[in-house]
Amino acid sequence: MRALPITIAPSILSCDFARIGEEVRRAEDAGADWLHVDVMDGHFVPNLTIGPPVVAAIAKVARVPLDVHLMITDPWTYGPLFAKAGAHVLTFHVEVCPTPEKARELAAHFRAAGVKQVGISLNPDTPLERILPVLDAVDLVLVMSVFPGFGGQAFLPDVLAKTRALREHGYAGHVEMDGGLNADTIPRCAEAGCDAFVSGSALFGASDMRSTLARFRELARAAREKSTHGR
Ligand code: DX5
Ligand code: ZN
């Protein structure tokens, strides 16, 4: 099977919100493949971030695809608004779906709203079994390696077993890891089968984002080459 290219997605949650446009350009100039946009509603997670108008403003200046991560209780109502605002990848959390059928309906609802790639995410304490019946309806699985809500938390290594199991199941779409990624944790994720890597604090906090991002990409590529789980 052909390997998916390594995708590095800086999370704008860690950018300077007073200068979002410049921060978007800084991440793109550093080599970002996607821009990860964390949407929080104060219900699904204990934090509030940004809504569709800000995503639309980012989409106006961005040159790379927006990877929008909805940490919200009601993606049925708000998902289409983020699609319209310019989300390229739109990811919902399986925890808000009472049944696999509901998750499939939600993926179809996002596609009907014009989304190019639909993602499904699961929290560190949600078993992989919750998403297995829905895999054929999505393009991406976003594995949370921290409990969602805040940037700058420590990576939870137990979640790597889910990534390995996904690849063992033959899942060939994107597997994206989110939370606590840096030069130590990225190789472990790549070895386990991840092809997409979200990084907030480690990239926006780096003194040289370009060389840090290039190093992350090279570490992921080298680790994947050695691995039997890489795609
Ligand atoms: C956490 C968010 C992450 C976060 C990652 O709720 O989903 O995308 O911004 O930030 P770092 O890389 O700092 O853990
Ligand atoms: Zn995220």
Side-chain angles (χ1 to χ4, degrees), residues 1-171:
M1 196 179 301
R2 251 185 78 92
L4 290 164
I6 300 286
T7 295
I8 309 284
S11 168
I12 61 131
L13 187 62
S14 295
C15 86
D16 178 353
F17 278 138
R19 303 165 40 250
I20 295 183
E22 289 160 51
E23 292 284 75
V24 163
R25 194 62 71 237
R26 184 159 77 99
E28 290 175 338
D29 289 347
D33 301 292
W34 293 346
L35 286 170
H36 187 81
V37 183
D38 286 308
V39 174
M40 306 185 187
D41 66 351
H43 294 273
F44 184 71
V45 288
N47 196 4
L48 276 167
T49 55
I50 63 177
V54 177
V55 174
I58 294 171
K60 255 195 210 159
V61 296
R63 297 174 183 149
V64 301
L66 300 188
D67 171 32
V68 177
H69 177 191
L70 298 180
M71 286 160 275
I72 65 176
T73 305
D74 185 1
W76 281 269
T77 301
Y78 297 105
L81 301 184
F82 287 99
K84 196 156 170 260
H88 177 93
V89 183
L90 191 60
T91 297
F92 63 92
H93 268 262
V94 70
E95 293 84 5
V96 304
C97 299
T99 61
E101 291 69 37
K102 270 281 166 206
R104 301 180 77 85
E105 277 171 30
L106 185 55
H109 184 54
F110 282 10
R111 286 192 206 284
V115 168
K116 296 272 184 317
Q117 302 201 67
V118 175
I120 191 164
S121 184
L122 73 175
N123 284 340
D125 58 356
T126 299
L128 190 63
E129 288 64 36
R130 281 287 296 275
I131 67 163
L132 293 180
V134 193
L135 287 181
D136 63 313
V138 298
D139 307 284
L140 176 146
V141 175
L142 176 57
V143 179
M144 288 308 301
S145 40
V146 296
F147 284 91
F150 301 92
Q153 304 182 70
F155 182 77
L156 298 170
D158 286 358
V159 305
L160 290 170
K162 291 188 213 175
T163 302
R164 287 199 193 93
L166 263 176
R167 292 309 189 194
E168 277 156 16
H169 267 90
Y171 181 68

